[in-house]
Amino acid sequence: MTRIINFPGAKEPPKVEPAAKMVIPKAEVKPGLLKRGLASLWRGIWIFTVLLWPILKWVISIDVFICLVLMAYHWDTPGGNAGWIFLTHFAGLTALTYFVSAYKPKGL
């Protein structure tokens, strides 16, 4: 006949007692939830902008150049605001350039 040898260290699994009553914890708002949500939204905007930056840079630069030409054309027009429009578009291009090249969100 054959001999059956038990594997060393093999034990029966411990018996689990059934829970008396199931307690569902109340949902609590963790402190800083809004701050973390806004930070992740800002990080997503930064990633989206960085990925589209090669195309976005060209499109916005062409727009700023067109605004520059229109500003030069309408320079002596009374009541014209082409200079302010150019200034806002140029400031937007400068801010986006800084946002992409010098700024890096925390956690990346």
Side-chain angles (χ1 to χ4, degrees):
M1 297 267 220
T2 62
R3 292 179 65 186
I4 299 175
I5 302 174
N6 289 336
F7 191 74
K11 298 178 184 176
E12 291 183 26
K15 296 181 180 178
V16 180
E17 296 179 15
K21 183 179 179 184
M22 183 149 188
V23 178
I24 300 174
K26 293 182 180 178
E28 295 179 14
V29 177
K30 295 180 182 177
L33 183 64
L34 180 64
K35 186 177 181 180
R36 285 184 287 151
L38 290 176
S40 63
L41 177 68
W42 192 249
R43 187 180 310 119
I45 291 171
W46 184 80
I47 291 171
F48 183 73
T49 307
V50 166
L51 289 176
L52 289 179
W53 182 241
I55 298 168
L56 198 61
K57 178 176 52 175
W58 279 95
V59 171
I60 295 176
S61 297
I62 291 169
D63 175 61
V64 168
F65 179 73
I66 291 171
C67 288
L68 175 72
V69 171
L70 287 174
M71 179 191 70
Y73 181 75
H74 293 293
W75 187 256
D76 286 334
T77 305
N81 57 356
W84 290 109
I85 293 173
F86 166 73
L87 187 64
T88 56
H89 285 233
F90 184 74
L93 175 63
T94 305
L96 273 175
T97 302
Y98 170 77
F99 183 64
V100 168
S101 62
Y103 177 77
K104 185 176 180 183
K106 294 178 184 177
L108 287 181

